[in-house]
Amino acid sequence: MTDFRNKVVYQIYPKSFKDSDGDGVGDLRGIIEKLDYLAELGVDYLWITPFFLSPQKDNGYDVADYTAIDPRFGSMEDFEELVSAAGKRGLKIMLDMVLCHTSDQHLWFQKALEGDETYRRYYILRDGRNKKDPEDPGEPPTNWQCAFGGSAWQWEPRQGKWYLHLHDVSQPDLDWTNPRVREELAGVVRFWKERGVAGFRFDVINLISKPERFEDDTEGLGRRLFADGPHVHEYLRELVASAGLEGMVTVGEMASTDLENCLLYTRPEAHELSMVFNFHHLKVDYRDGDKWALMEPDIMELKRLFAAWQTGMAEGGGWNALFWCNHDQPRIVSRFGDEKTYRKESAKMLAACIHLMRGTPYIYQGEEIGMTNPGYTSIDQYRDVESLNHYQILLDKGKTEGEALEILSVRSRDNGRTPMQWSEEPHGGFSEAEPWIPVAANFAEVNVASDMREKDSIFSFYRELIRIRKEMPIVAEGGIRFLEEENPDVLAYERRWNNESLIVLCNFRRQYARLIKGCVSDYEKDGYRKRIGNYQGTGAGLRPYEVIVYHKVG
Ligand code: GLC
């Protein structure tokens, strides 16, 4: 069994990582150019988001051919070179498998639309409701909504049926009840495994098993009916067995999931996945659960969620993926930190806060230098289908353009998709050409070169956190207990392993914060030594966004 507990994963969004051929779009050779940088950071795995053939309606999460590389990203030779060059530096490759849906350009869907019965059975086609005659579409089969706004059903006149798409209309859902579909998908995973891939991330994998009966959701938009569906665990075990995933590092993206299911997904005896992403902690700034309604983050709720998931997963023997950022999330310093006055301090505090919890940490490109949201001010700067759809939905609901743009500038997925800022050169050193999406205006100050020139760089702080995980087994192996639970400003926890203790104190506020327990420096009187922090020395309380990590043996 590969040990994934002391490993760190780095996520690469290839489109925005490094452009090697001057077309404004990042590519596989761009990743090869930066392998030394990634090796220096000290990560173990590189999770690369989809670069398969795709019309790019959802930036590659709409796959038209699972075993072909989109020429805009490179060729199979480039990929093989990437695997081997990464391997020479001790870096392993993890690929992103989008097995819940395909693109509507996939040959399977094209054949289904032509009426080929075998392929019609690959997708979820249903009759409309309240049809007046055979030609009449009627109404969508259920009231379910897709993730990007609007109905999850699309009328297909050639087949006289509605097809289900839980994401964009160009992403028809596959029918996992069909054993042939499951076999095909296992074959896709095997194909990449045979090309030297060491791990996999499975996209929205808890949405693969739809409910037995398709009926309206009387309490919501449908999600609770199709998340963690009736056969999901069985399908995952089958995939692991038939694609030969046992012993590989796997992570599932779990939409709207719960602790009970995440234990079932990740307990080693379940033979399903190594670990899971859940998103509850990234909704604490959604007003009434609505992503498009702004609110200051509720730090007490964040603390409560971390405590519940961390201790619940530990008690039940499950394993978490630890993360703040990915290609679907705004930048964390702009969100739970302070991107202006305390950018460096808050970036480091947020990093230590999750890297020292129980689980496997993920770093999303640019997080290690404290990249921020770009602060776009015009709709022309956005590319993401979800953002463009919701801009229109917000206007339809009566928001002004200014209000809708303000919401997008905080919530859009494009906030995390801007080009990696490598240097102060034009386009942040990402490309010689105009990038496919505008670079953040602060690239001249916030970039890899300038961060690495500083002695106390954010990059070196991340490197140190990774080193601590490798050197101190308590981080990978220890138990966890939350402290200061009533403290509105400070998130704190203790890790314990054998006779060792590690205390992590994080101030989530722009102001000085105190501990309920007493003085911070009291830990020193108890024999604790500071292991890492983002300020010099220690005081009675915690300075703005301060993090202190104490260690004691015995
Ligand atoms: C996942 C991906 C996201 C994509 C969606 C549909 O949530 O992370 O980028 O849009 O699945 O595939």
Side-chain angles (χ1 to χ4, degrees), residues 25 123 130 332 354 415 443 446 481-482 488 547:
V25 178
Y123 295 92
N130 304 325
I332 202 65
I354 57 163
N415 284 310
F443 74 88
V446 180
R481 179 170 76 98
F482 279 75
V547 59

Side-chain angles (χ1 to χ4, degrees), residues 190-317:
R190 269 197 305 274
F191 174 91
W192 289 107
K193 189 185 162 190
E194 282 157 13
R195 273 153 193 81
V197 170
F200 293 98
R201 178 246 189 205
F202 293 102
D203 189 62
V204 289
I205 199 71
N206 69 328
L207 303 184
I208 55 177
S209 174
K210 313 309 192 247
E212 238 109 79
R213 288 181 40 210
F214 282 34
E215 47 197 14
D216 277 355
D217 183 359
T218 49
E219 288 170 35
L221 307 176
R223 199 133 284 203
R224 62 190 188 93
L225 303 179
F226 45 76
D228 304 317
H231 300 288
V232 65
H233 296 285
E234 174 193 322
Y235 293 158
L236 272 172
R237 284 195 296 272
E238 182 187 297
L239 179 67
V240 168
S242 67
L245 296 178
E246 195 73 53
M248 296 182 87
V249 174
T250 54
V251 56
E253 185 200 27
M254 303 299 170
S256 311
T257 190
D258 59 24
L259 181 62
E260 199 188 334
N261 275 291
C262 287
L263 286 170
L264 294 173
Y265 291 126
T266 61
R267 287 165 62 215
E269 5 5 320
H271 303 284
E272 293 185 22
L273 298 167
S274 312
M275 58 190 125
V276 281
F277 292 115
N278 83 75
F279 296 89
H280 296 286
H281 66 297
L282 294 175
K283 295 181 179 166
V284 299
D285 52 0
Y286 291 7
R287 185 182 298 284
D288 302 322
D290 177 1
K291 170 168 177 173
W292 307 100
L294 301 185
M295 184 179 95
E296 281 298 306
D298 181 343
I299 301 302
M300 282 308 259
E301 178 65 1
L302 181 74
K303 289 177 43 151
R304 202 190 58 69
L305 283 164
F306 272 136
W309 277 84
Q310 283 282 306
T311 50
M313 288 292 263
E315 281 160 15

Side-chain angles (χ1 to χ4, degrees), residues 121 235 386:
R121 296 186 51 238
Y235 293 158
E386 183 198 50

